[in-house]
Each structure stands twice: as structure tokens, then as C-alpha cells.
Amino acid sequence: LGAISLASSPSLPPPSPPPLALPFFPPPPSVPPPLTLSGLVAWWRLDSSAGLGSSVGSAPTLVLEAGRGAIVGDYLQCGVRSSTAGCAAAAYDASSGLPTGDAPRTLSWWMRLPASPTPDGGVIGYGVPGSRSPFAYSLFSGGKATIEMWGPTLSDSDTSITPTLGSAAFEHFATVYDGAGSVRFYKNGVASANTMSVTSAATVASGQLAVGSEVDGNEGVEGDFSDVQIYDSALDAGGIGLLHSLGRL
């Protein structure tokens, strides 16, 4: 028999390696920024990047009182306690978008005050100077804090939301009016022991906004301020707690 020739099989390419299995990293939990909270109409960050202007809405840019305040890194520093001078202020009107009349609202801010702030001094707020209608947070002598929109007395005030004087850390504060005759204070996310009952609000549509003093620019306090926010809604305890947990931004 003749020789049998076996044809060689064609060479096949080596099998492809399996695709690399990349490790799976779940996305970090989503934390809503303050902008997702209902009704934010003004936000003064008061830092070196944003300056004295509002990051949202059409609220006015604050103007410093000569020799009384300065942006220091990521906060506004108000110094030289004075009974006749403020720190930072601006005129507002109906176009500014701030809640007025009897509308619900929330005022939120971070601050730290020295061990001995000016007694009976204004801290923050807006309205008409001297009209007893501003929405403003103030400190009474004796360590009591109040909201001054209806001219409350010391007995209407609350000691549970008074700043920790002389603290090196910033503290978060909020004042909430529900539009139905009730004001609630918060300090570091915790509600005050009592509410203030009032008949109605009467904040005018045009007036002055002030940080570090009464709305008339007098009775200025010495202290540091950051992230002042105004909402045209009454934030609930969960919303206030979120603002506190997010810290200064």
C-alpha cells in the first residue's frame, strides 16, 4: 500500500482570556444639599469665595460697616462691640424675595459669640428699624434670646437657645415662624422647650437686613457668622436637623 499522508490541522488562535472582573464599589450615600430643602430664597455664605452676596435668589448684597466687620476665610467676623454701630447690612424690597407680612419663614445661621457679648444686642434679622415689626433674633441681658418681630417681653424669651458664649466652635441656630401664630427656636438641631405664640406677623416688604446688629444698624454684637439662609417656608424638625448635620458649607 502506498503511504497515507495526513493533512495537518490548521492552527487555531489561543482562547481569549476571560474579561477582568473589576471590583464593585457602591456609590456613596446621597446627602441632599441645602438647596433641595423647600423654599430657600437667600443664602449668604459669608466666605472669601462668595463674599457678601447671596448665592441664590435676588436678595441684596450686604455692605460692611466701616471698621466693624471683615470676611476672614470662611466666615464674617464682626468686631468692636458698639451700641451705635452694626456690622453688615443692606436694604431690601419686594423684589428681594424675602418672606414678609404673615408668610411662614425660616431663618438659619451659624455663629459663635465671645464670652461677654453686648447685653440687649441685636444678632440677625430684617424689617423696618424701630417699627417693632422686624423678624430678628436678639440677646437680652441675663442670657435670654428672643425673636423681636412682635416686641416680646423677657417672659416670652427662651434660655434653651442662647449661644454658648465663648465657645471656639460655631453653633447652628434657626428660627421658624409657621404662618399661623407660632414661633419655634432651634439650637444645633434641637428644638427649644417652648414656642412663642403670637397673633400675626407684620414684616414689611421693604426695609433693612442686618447681620451682627439690630435691623437699624445699632447695638452691634461682636462675633462670627456663617451661612445665613432664609426660607419662605416653615422647615420642620427634620429639615432643621439636616441643616445642622451638613455643617457650615
Short mmCIF file of all heavy atoms in Angstrom, two decimals, residues 163-193:
data_model
loop_
_atom_site.label_atom_id
_atom_site.label_comp_id
_atom_site.label_asym_id
_atom_site.label_seq_id
_atom_site.Cartn_x
_atom_site.Cartn_y
_atom_site.Cartn_z
N PRO A 163 -26.79 81.20 72.76
CA PRO A 163 -25.47 80.69 72.33
C PRO A 163 -24.60 80.31 73.52
O PRO A 163 -24.74 80.85 74.62
CB PRO A 163 -24.87 81.89 71.58
CG PRO A 163 -26.03 82.73 71.20
CD PRO A 163 -27.06 82.56 72.26
N THR A 164 -23.71 79.36 73.28
CA THR A 164 -22.70 79.00 74.27
C THR A 164 -21.60 80.06 74.19
O THR A 164 -20.76 80.03 73.28
CB THR A 164 -22.11 77.61 73.99
OG1 THR A 164 -23.18 76.65 73.95
CG2 THR A 164 -21.12 77.21 75.08
N LEU A 165 -21.65 81.01 75.09
CA LEU A 165 -20.75 82.16 75.00
C LEU A 165 -19.31 81.74 75.22
O LEU A 165 -19.00 80.94 76.10
CB LEU A 165 -21.17 83.22 76.01
CG LEU A 165 -22.61 83.74 75.88
CD1 LEU A 165 -22.88 84.81 76.94
CD2 LEU A 165 -22.84 84.30 74.49
N GLY A 166 -18.42 82.26 74.39
CA GLY A 166 -17.02 81.95 74.50
C GLY A 166 -16.61 80.64 73.85
O GLY A 166 -15.45 80.23 73.97
N SER A 167 -17.53 79.98 73.14
CA SER A 167 -17.21 78.70 72.50
C SER A 167 -16.29 78.91 71.31
O SER A 167 -16.45 79.85 70.53
CB SER A 167 -18.50 78.01 72.05
OG SER A 167 -18.20 76.88 71.25
N ALA A 168 -15.32 77.99 71.14
CA ALA A 168 -14.43 78.07 69.98
C ALA A 168 -15.11 77.52 68.73
O ALA A 168 -14.67 77.79 67.61
CB ALA A 168 -13.14 77.30 70.25
N ALA A 169 -16.18 76.75 68.91
CA ALA A 169 -16.88 76.12 67.79
C ALA A 169 -18.09 76.95 67.39
O ALA A 169 -18.74 77.58 68.23
CB ALA A 169 -17.31 74.71 68.16
N PHE A 170 -18.41 76.93 66.09
CA PHE A 170 -19.64 77.55 65.62
C PHE A 170 -20.83 76.69 66.06
O PHE A 170 -20.74 75.46 66.15
CB PHE A 170 -19.63 77.65 64.09
CG PHE A 170 -18.89 78.83 63.56
CD1 PHE A 170 -17.51 78.79 63.41
CD2 PHE A 170 -19.56 79.98 63.19
CE1 PHE A 170 -16.81 79.88 62.91
CE2 PHE A 170 -18.88 81.09 62.68
CZ PHE A 170 -17.50 81.02 62.54
N GLU A 171 -21.97 77.35 66.31
CA GLU A 171 -23.21 76.67 66.64
C GLU A 171 -24.26 77.05 65.61
O GLU A 171 -24.24 78.15 65.06
CB GLU A 171 -23.68 77.04 68.04
CG GLU A 171 -22.73 76.59 69.13
CD GLU A 171 -23.23 77.00 70.53
OE1 GLU A 171 -23.52 78.20 70.72
OE2 GLU A 171 -23.31 76.12 71.40
N HIS A 172 -25.18 76.13 65.37
CA HIS A 172 -26.24 76.37 64.39
C HIS A 172 -27.51 76.81 65.09
O HIS A 172 -27.92 76.24 66.11
CB HIS A 172 -26.53 75.11 63.58
CG HIS A 172 -27.61 75.29 62.57
ND1 HIS A 172 -28.84 74.69 62.65
CD2 HIS A 172 -27.65 76.07 61.44
CE1 HIS A 172 -29.59 75.06 61.63
NE2 HIS A 172 -28.90 75.90 60.88
N PHE A 173 -28.15 77.85 64.53
CA PHE A 173 -29.40 78.37 65.08
C PHE A 173 -30.43 78.50 63.97
O PHE A 173 -30.09 78.73 62.80
CB PHE A 173 -29.18 79.74 65.73
CG PHE A 173 -28.33 79.67 66.97
CD1 PHE A 173 -26.95 79.70 66.87
CD2 PHE A 173 -28.91 79.53 68.22
CE1 PHE A 173 -26.16 79.61 68.00
CE2 PHE A 173 -28.13 79.44 69.35
CZ PHE A 173 -26.76 79.47 69.25
N ALA A 174 -31.68 78.37 64.33
CA ALA A 174 -32.77 78.57 63.38
C ALA A 174 -33.98 79.08 64.13
O ALA A 174 -34.23 78.70 65.28
CB ALA A 174 -33.11 77.28 62.66
N THR A 175 -34.71 79.96 63.47
CA THR A 175 -35.97 80.48 63.98
C THR A 175 -37.02 80.25 62.92
O THR A 175 -36.85 80.65 61.77
CB THR A 175 -35.85 81.99 64.30
OG1 THR A 175 -34.79 82.18 65.24
CG2 THR A 175 -37.13 82.52 64.89
N VAL A 176 -38.12 79.62 63.31
CA VAL A 176 -39.15 79.22 62.35
C VAL A 176 -40.50 79.82 62.75
O VAL A 176 -40.95 79.66 63.90
CB VAL A 176 -39.29 77.68 62.30
CG1 VAL A 176 -40.36 77.28 61.30
CG2 VAL A 176 -37.95 77.04 61.95
N TYR A 177 -41.11 80.54 61.81
CA TYR A 177 -42.48 81.03 62.00
C TYR A 177 -43.39 80.24 61.07
O TYR A 177 -43.12 80.15 59.87
CB TYR A 177 -42.57 82.52 61.71
CG TYR A 177 -44.01 83.04 61.76
CD1 TYR A 177 -44.76 82.94 62.93
CD2 TYR A 177 -44.60 83.61 60.64
CE1 TYR A 177 -46.07 83.38 62.97
CE2 TYR A 177 -45.91 84.07 60.69
CZ TYR A 177 -46.63 83.95 61.86
OH TYR A 177 -47.93 84.39 61.91
N ASP A 178 -44.46 79.67 61.62
CA ASP A 178 -45.30 78.76 60.82
C ASP A 178 -46.39 79.44 60.02
O ASP A 178 -47.15 78.78 59.31
CB ASP A 178 -45.91 77.68 61.72
CG ASP A 178 -46.89 78.23 62.75
OD1 ASP A 178 -47.11 79.46 62.79
OD2 ASP A 178 -47.43 77.42 63.53
N GLY A 179 -46.51 80.77 60.13
CA GLY A 179 -47.55 81.48 59.40
C GLY A 179 -48.91 81.41 60.07
O GLY A 179 -49.89 81.92 59.53
N ALA A 180 -48.95 80.76 61.23
CA ALA A 180 -50.23 80.60 61.93
C ALA A 180 -50.13 80.96 63.41
O ALA A 180 -50.87 80.45 64.24
CB ALA A 180 -50.72 79.16 61.79
N GLY A 181 -49.17 81.85 63.74
CA GLY A 181 -49.10 82.37 65.09
C GLY A 181 -48.13 81.67 66.03
O GLY A 181 -48.20 81.87 67.24
N SER A 182 -47.20 80.87 65.51
CA SER A 182 -46.29 80.14 66.38
C SER A 182 -44.85 80.27 65.89
O SER A 182 -44.58 80.11 64.70
CB SER A 182 -46.67 78.66 66.45
OG SER A 182 -45.79 77.95 67.30
N VAL A 183 -43.95 80.58 66.82
CA VAL A 183 -42.52 80.68 66.52
C VAL A 183 -41.78 79.61 67.30
O VAL A 183 -42.01 79.43 68.50
CB VAL A 183 -41.95 82.07 66.90
CG1 VAL A 183 -40.45 82.13 66.64
CG2 VAL A 183 -42.67 83.17 66.13
N ARG A 184 -40.88 78.90 66.63
CA ARG A 184 -40.08 77.86 67.27
C ARG A 184 -38.61 78.16 67.05
O ARG A 184 -38.19 78.53 65.96
CB ARG A 184 -40.43 76.49 66.69
CG ARG A 184 -39.54 75.35 67.12
CD ARG A 184 -39.82 74.88 68.54
NE ARG A 184 -41.06 74.13 68.61
CZ ARG A 184 -41.54 73.58 69.73
NH1 ARG A 184 -40.89 73.76 70.87
NH2 ARG A 184 -42.67 72.91 69.73
N PHE A 185 -37.80 78.00 68.11
CA PHE A 185 -36.36 78.18 68.04
C PHE A 185 -35.66 76.82 67.96
O PHE A 185 -36.17 75.83 68.51
CB PHE A 185 -35.83 78.91 69.28
CG PHE A 185 -36.36 80.29 69.48
CD1 PHE A 185 -37.34 80.54 70.44
CD2 PHE A 185 -35.88 81.35 68.74
CE1 PHE A 185 -37.83 81.81 70.63
CE2 PHE A 185 -36.36 82.63 68.94
CZ PHE A 185 -37.34 82.86 69.89
N TYR A 186 -34.50 76.79 67.35
CA TYR A 186 -33.66 75.58 67.33
C TYR A 186 -32.21 75.97 67.60
O TYR A 186 -31.74 77.01 67.13
CB TYR A 186 -33.72 74.89 65.97
CG TYR A 186 -35.04 74.24 65.65
CD1 TYR A 186 -36.09 74.99 65.11
CD2 TYR A 186 -35.25 72.88 65.85
CE1 TYR A 186 -37.29 74.40 64.80
CE2 TYR A 186 -36.46 72.27 65.54
CZ TYR A 186 -37.48 73.05 65.01
OH TYR A 186 -38.69 72.47 64.70
N LYS A 187 -31.52 75.12 68.33
CA LYS A 187 -30.08 75.28 68.54
C LYS A 187 -29.42 73.93 68.29
O LYS A 187 -29.78 72.93 68.92
CB LYS A 187 -29.78 75.75 69.97
CG LYS A 187 -28.28 75.83 70.29
CD LYS A 187 -28.06 76.24 71.74
CE LYS A 187 -26.58 76.24 72.10
NZ LYS A 187 -26.36 76.60 73.53
N ASN A 188 -28.47 73.91 67.35
CA ASN A 188 -27.77 72.68 66.99
C ASN A 188 -28.72 71.53 66.69
O ASN A 188 -28.52 70.39 67.12
CB ASN A 188 -26.78 72.29 68.09
CG ASN A 188 -25.63 73.27 68.20
OD1 ASN A 188 -25.25 73.92 67.22
ND2 ASN A 188 -25.07 73.41 69.39
N GLY A 189 -29.79 71.85 65.97
CA GLY A 189 -30.75 70.85 65.53
C GLY A 189 -31.79 70.44 66.54
O GLY A 189 -32.66 69.62 66.24
N VAL A 190 -31.74 70.99 67.75
CA VAL A 190 -32.67 70.62 68.81
C VAL A 190 -33.66 71.76 69.04
O VAL A 190 -33.26 72.92 69.20
CB VAL A 190 -31.92 70.30 70.12
CG1 VAL A 190 -32.90 69.95 71.24
CG2 VAL A 190 -30.92 69.16 69.90
N ALA A 191 -34.94 71.43 69.07
CA ALA A 191 -35.98 72.45 69.25
C ALA A 191 -35.97 72.97 70.68
O ALA A 191 -35.64 72.26 71.63
CB ALA A 191 -37.35 71.86 68.92
N SER A 192 -36.34 74.24 70.82
CA SER A 192 -36.44 74.84 72.15
C SER A 192 -37.57 74.20 72.94
O SER A 192 -38.46 73.54 72.39
CB SER A 192 -36.67 76.34 72.03
OG SER A 192 -37.85 76.59 71.29
N ALA A 193 -37.54 74.42 74.24
CA ALA A 193 -38.52 73.79 75.11
C ALA A 193 -39.92 74.34 74.90
O ALA A 193 -40.91 73.66 75.15
CB ALA A 193 -38.10 73.99 76.57
#
